[in-house]
Amino acid sequence: VYVSGGGVALANLGVPDLGVTTLDDVLTDVRRLSRVATAPALVDIDTGFGASALNIERTVRDMEQAGAGAVHMEDQVLAKRCGHRPNKQV
């Protein structure tokens, strides 16, 4: 099961993945999925939902508590853009 940033943005907010989703938006979907899915979820945590290592640590801890099996992070400068869109910087 894969929880993509684009999927969360489109399904919950009706917008493309342009960095408008929050940690809470993603956590809500992870919690919903972990209640019904038997396979662990791989979750896109964008750039970690914060500018510091402490923010990233909190994000990972919150994802574990929500039931995520694994996470992956994007290596982009802020403000991030969807990996499929032009003009992003890594």
Side-chain angles (χ1 to χ4, degrees), residues 63-78:
M63 287 295 158
E64 290 173 336
Q65 291 172 351
V71 298
H72 74 80
M73 243 174 68
E74 298 173 24
D75 187 13
Q76 290 191 38
V77 297
L78 297 174

Side-chain angles (χ1 to χ4, degrees), residues 3-22 25-26 29 44 46 49 80 82:
V3 180
S4 73
V8 172
L10 190 58
N12 294 304
L13 305 173
V15 298
D17 185 13
L18 297 175
V20 297
T21 55
T22 66
D25 294 328
V26 180
D29 282 0
D44 174 359
D46 290 328
F49 295 105
K80 75 162 274 312
C82 176

Side-chain angles (χ1 to χ4, degrees), residues 8 10-11 13 15 19 28-29 33 36 45 47 55-56 58-59 61 64 72 75 78 80 87:
V8 172
L10 190 58
L13 305 173
V15 298
T28 296
D29 282 0
L33 282 169
V36 297
I45 61 168
T47 55
N55 296 116
I56 296 165
R58 175 182 175 217
T59 297
R61 189 173 347 100
E64 290 173 336
H72 74 80
D75 187 13
L78 297 174
K80 75 162 274 312
N87 303 320

